[in-house]
Amino acid sequence: MKRSLMMIAGLFLSVCSITAQNLSMDRVNADFQKKKEALPTGDLFSVFRQQLTQEERDALTFFYAYMSVGDITDYSGDFYLENVRSSLSTRKETTWGKTIPDDIFSHFVLPVRINNENLDRARMIFHDELMPRLKGLSMHDAVLEVNHWCHEKVNYQPADARTSAPLATVKTAYGRCGEESTFLVAALRSVGIPARQVYTPRWAHTDDNHAWVEAWVDGEWHFLGACEPEPVLDLGWFNAPASRGMLMHTKVFGYYQGPEDVMRRTANYTEINIIGNYAKFAPLTVTVVDNRQKPVEGACVQFKVYNYAEFFTVHTRTTEKDGKASLSAGLGDMMVLVTKGDQFGIKKVTFGKEREVAIELSHRIGEEFSFPIDLVPPPVKPNIPEVTPEQRAKNDIRFNREDSIRNAYVASFPNASAIEQFASETGYKAADVNKYIVASRGNYGDIMAFLREAAKKNYATRALQLLATLSDKDLRDTPKSILDDHLYNTDLALDADKVLAPRIAGEMLTPYRSFFQKEISKKDAKMFRANPNNLAEWCRKNITLRDELCCVGTFISPEGVWRSRIADRVSRDIFFVAVARSLGIPAWIDGVTGNVFYRNNGSDIQLDFESGVSGVSETGKLQLAYSPIPQLNDPEYLRHFTLSKFDGVGFTLLNYPDFAKWSALFKEPSSLDEGYYIMVSGSRLADGGVLGQVSFFNVRKDELTNEKLLVRDNTEAVKVIGNFDSESKFIDAATGQETTVLKTSGRGLFVLAILGVGQEPTDHTLKDIAVKAKEFDACGRKMILLFPTRAAYEKYQTAPALGLPEHVVFGIDQDSSIQKKLLEALELEANTQLPIFIIGDTFNRIVFTSHGYTIGLGERLLKIIDSLDETE
């Protein structure tokens, strides 16, 4: 009887599973048909005319049903078929492939796209290199092993927001966290292990964001730091920061119906909220009301975290008839902006303390007002798994060996002597080509070949002009063929920045120039050159805007827009500039405002695709008056203040150069588009909280607007928070002699730190300090940077931080004695994330501490030292 019941239950589950699969494929097929109807031109679905198995056909149907327009137009069907066949083959090849449910496989193994990277053949190449290493391993151990392999190839280095493709990241040998995590997800999927990239859109307790990886192991999701192998899963340097997170999310390819909280669904992906995997959280519901306190339907609700001196939108919802919009987030403060038409409301909300909040549309666009705001981030409550000393020692040995493998590869890049020889052979000055070859890293072969051929063709000067328009990342991942296309298909007399330059915005570079010179008729080309507004009109008539079919952060190539006649707004703008430049018309997208311009008869004309009206941009002037506060004479953009312009729904950040000084931007009147603006400023406190100030104002055409830039002073008195014996001993790394903190620093204040070599928090912190090197040297205080072991110091010496203050002293913390004293004095756990920094004095007092991941620490240290110097 019992066996019969079990058989019936098994049959029932099997039938349910088949039914669920059928329902899922019904939706996939329906969405696939919608996509085909949306893209009727360009023969973009020709791969389905090939001989396919049912498995292959179903997988490709899933791909095309949910791929963005750019992924369909810019990559061939054969490319996706190769990826599908590799995934299906690997599923049969691996022991874990049989245990992965179909929905997990479809959403977290099959997809090629992970972020906004260029797609490549990484799946097949990584599979062939990794599979021999995973033979006989469990799924759990395979995940750890793949991360060790990734660390052999890549380590952390900050970079711009465009994400390099996995193979380009390997060629470069480093990447920012978004590239490292894209790389690891690609590697795990290549061996059939479900994986997803996890982002905290922005931290609440410090500036910046972070990305890492979750892998599905035997039915459960576990996290790990990409290219930062640990002995166990669910461990990374970010355990503590993640416990302070307000939101963690991931974008799942396709229409996903898993157990996680769905934040939104698009035509391409399902965004899910996984804050509960990392931090305590609570739900909060906002009700938007009018001046009669009635619910408002159709209002836009934006949940925002203070980060880099702006209120950064982490989630957006539109209210239904009940006027409600909800979010679950970490137990801290957010700002919520609600808008509808020309009305808006703004309010601070606190998750965990409030569950229901009403926000009235009490303000109108154009209304000028300001207010202070204090923001508190979630507290630190990390959950850190146990690691035995044996596990740690074994992992450290592997970690160091992997560093040596990667460093040996990096050592193969051209050195100064090789570059000198190349220059002498090709006729360039070594100083002119050195920066491009060095910055190209593993792509040096393409860059040197490009320069060599250009010299032979008497294009040397023009080739250098082209390279000067590119970012370091462009130099690292752009093939010679693309550079050749732009160099040899542009008139030598034309402007380098506005015509020759291949890069327009954040897109992946393509050889669009020769493409458009062939595709566009001579008649149309002549008409567009005579009046570039004719090209704009062509775009308005022939390109259909379908933002909903495009992934946020990705672009359709200019060639893809031409083939499909469909684009999102940014890809349309890039397309216009690409066609214009291909025809010799100076055109560009303004880096600060995002406005599109072309030059005609010596005048810079701003395009407005929506209105159809083009002309000289309408601007006013803005001047910000600033009264210095202690330790802040010249505020910096993105560190102390930002400006954002109302765009009809919310406020779009003006992208001035990172950390540009107030004195260079707005001390004197500065030109700004007319419109309605929000200015946000803030002081970050030691505990991660913020003293903020918000101002709304107008910039009117041909008028001067005077506003006050108020950065609220941190009035917290510096307090003694612990005691530390300044006679504590360490080994001076330079001399090898034992010394003390007191002997090294002299009487008074000092900065002391324990570093974590090769760890992202330490790398960030040292860069922050290097930026402020002159200020540190001017204050004259010693900075003692200690390493846990001599081996750690020697490892650091292989890739030291550049530009540190002259007053830095390196040392070895023998037996971790100083680290133990600091942990005890500050009541920190033994596994507290490095680096640990303190400001102390030779009266044995600690007045400031920071540990783990903290952005802007250099400035914060200086601020405390300056305030204490004034009281001495």
Side-chain angles (χ1 to χ4, degrees), residues 579-644:
V579 174
R581 290 183 180 179
S582 300
L583 300 178
I585 303 166
W588 64 97
I589 297 177
D590 183 78
V592 175
T593 64
N595 295 331
V596 182
F597 290 86
Y598 66 84
R599 186 168 294 150
N600 192 32
N601 296 324
S603 296
D604 292 346
I605 308 299
Q606 181 179 334
L607 275 181
D608 187 336
F609 281 108
E610 276 63 39
S611 70
V613 178
S614 300
V616 178
S617 56
E618 297 181 340
T619 62
K621 298 280 188 180
L622 175 66
Q623 185 173 22
L624 299 179
Y626 174 70
S627 298
I629 61 174
Q631 296 84 51
L632 187 58
N633 292 321
D634 201 350
E636 297 175 356
Y637 199 75
L638 291 179
R639 182 166 282 132
H640 305 112
F641 75 103
T642 57
L643 293 172
S644 300

Side-chain angles (χ1 to χ4, degrees), residues 438-467:
V438 170
S440 67
R441 292 182 64 84
N443 196 42
Y444 66 86
D446 278 73
I447 298 302
M448 292 172 78
F450 168 71
L451 288 167
R452 187 185 301 276
E453 184 174 309
K456 287 180 180 178
K457 295 182 175 182
N458 295 320
Y459 272 75
T461 299
R462 193 64 163 167
L464 291 174
Q465 289 177 342
L466 188 153
L467 293 182

Side-chain angles (χ1 to χ4, degrees), residues 237-535:
W237 63 260
F238 52 88
N239 283 64
S243 74
R244 306 191 74 181
M246 292 293 292
L247 187 67
M248 314 295 177
H249 67 160
T250 187
K251 294 176 180 176
V252 184
F253 186 89
Y255 190 96
Y256 176 64
Q257 295 178 286
E260 299 91 345
D261 176 31
V262 173
M263 296 173 66
R264 67 170 171 166
R265 295 189 190 276
T266 74
N268 311 119
Y269 62 84
T270 305
E271 186 176 356
I272 58 175
N273 185 355
I274 50 176
I275 181 65
N277 292 359
Y278 302 93
K280 290 186 176 181
F281 68 97
L284 184 144
T285 298
V286 169
T287 303
V288 182
V289 298
D290 60 21
N291 58 8
R292 296 172 298 169
Q293 303 305 301
K294 299 293 185 182
V296 176
E297 181 182 5
C300 177
V301 181
Q302 297 179 337
F303 294 86
K304 295 172 173 284
V305 170
Y306 179 93
N307 191 284
Y308 279 129
E310 71 159 322
F311 294 136
F312 181 85
T313 302
V314 297
H315 184 50
T316 302
R317 295 293 295 269
T318 301
T319 58
E320 301 291 343
K321 288 183 179 181
D322 60 4
K324 296 184 183 298
S326 300
L327 178 68
S328 292
L331 308 183
D333 294 340
M334 281 193 194
M335 295 297 291
V336 178
L337 173 73
V338 299
T339 61
K340 186 173 184 182
D342 66 348
Q343 295 180 295
F344 73 98
I346 186 168
K347 189 173 186 178
K348 180 181 83 172
V349 299
T350 304
F351 287 82
K353 290 185 179 179
E354 301 170 291
R355 296 185 71 88
E356 298 272 349
V357 176
I359 301 182
E360 182 182 340
L361 294 170
S362 57
H363 301 287
R364 289 197 174 272
I365 301 304
E367 180 182 345
E368 299 189 340
F369 64 100
S370 63
F371 59 89
I373 192 76
D374 294 352
L375 299 164
V376 179
V380 181
K381 290 188 178 178
N383 180 22
I384 301 178
E386 182 181 355
V387 176
T388 67
E390 294 77 17
Q391 287 175 313
R392 175 57 62 197
K394 183 178 178 181
N395 196 76
D396 287 347
I397 291 171
R398 291 201 65 181
F399 200 96
N400 291 333
R401 185 168 67 247
E402 290 150 13
D403 277 342
S404 67
I405 293 170
R406 186 180 60 258
N407 290 337
Y409 164 66
V410 172
S412 70
F413 299 166
N415 57 22
S417 175
I419 295 172
E420 285 275 2
Q421 182 177 346
F422 169 81
S424 66
E425 291 171 354
T426 55
Y428 292 97
K429 293 180 181 178
D432 290 340
V433 298
N434 181 78
K435 59 184 176 181
Y436 302 123
I437 296 173
V438 170
S440 67
R441 292 182 64 84
N443 196 42
Y444 66 86
D446 278 73
I447 298 302
M448 292 172 78
F450 168 71
L451 288 167
R452 187 185 301 276
E453 184 174 309
K456 287 180 180 178
K457 295 182 175 182
N458 295 320
Y459 272 75
T461 299
R462 193 64 163 167
L464 291 174
Q465 289 177 342
L466 188 153
L467 293 182
T469 70
L470 302 180
S471 69
D472 285 355
K473 187 171 289 181
D474 292 332
L475 295 169
R476 297 197 296 265
D477 65 7
T478 304
K480 172 181 179 291
S481 58
I482 292 177
L483 301 177
D484 287 346
D485 179 83
H486 293 278
L487 178 63
Y488 301 121
N489 291 292
T490 305
D491 190 295
L492 287 168
L494 294 175
D495 183 271
D497 290 330
K498 302 294 191 296
V499 181
L500 172 65
R503 173 150 304 290
I504 299 166
E507 78 282 7
M508 185 70 189
L509 299 185
T510 61
Y512 60 76
R513 208 167 297 250
S514 59
F515 177 86
F516 288 121
Q517 290 173 1
K518 292 175 183 175
E519 290 288 330
I520 296 174
S521 69
K522 291 183 179 180
K523 178 183 176 182
D524 285 345
K526 183 178 180 181
M527 178 178 63
F528 296 157
R529 290 189 184 105
N531 184 357
N533 198 51
N534 291 328
L535 172 58

Side-chain angles (χ1 to χ4, degrees), residues 126 149 153-154 165-174 183 409 413:
F126 291 175
W149 176 83
K153 307 292 185 183
V154 174
L167 290 175
T169 301
V170 171
K171 185 185 271 191
T172 297
Y174 65 56
F183 171 41
Y409 164 66
F413 299 166

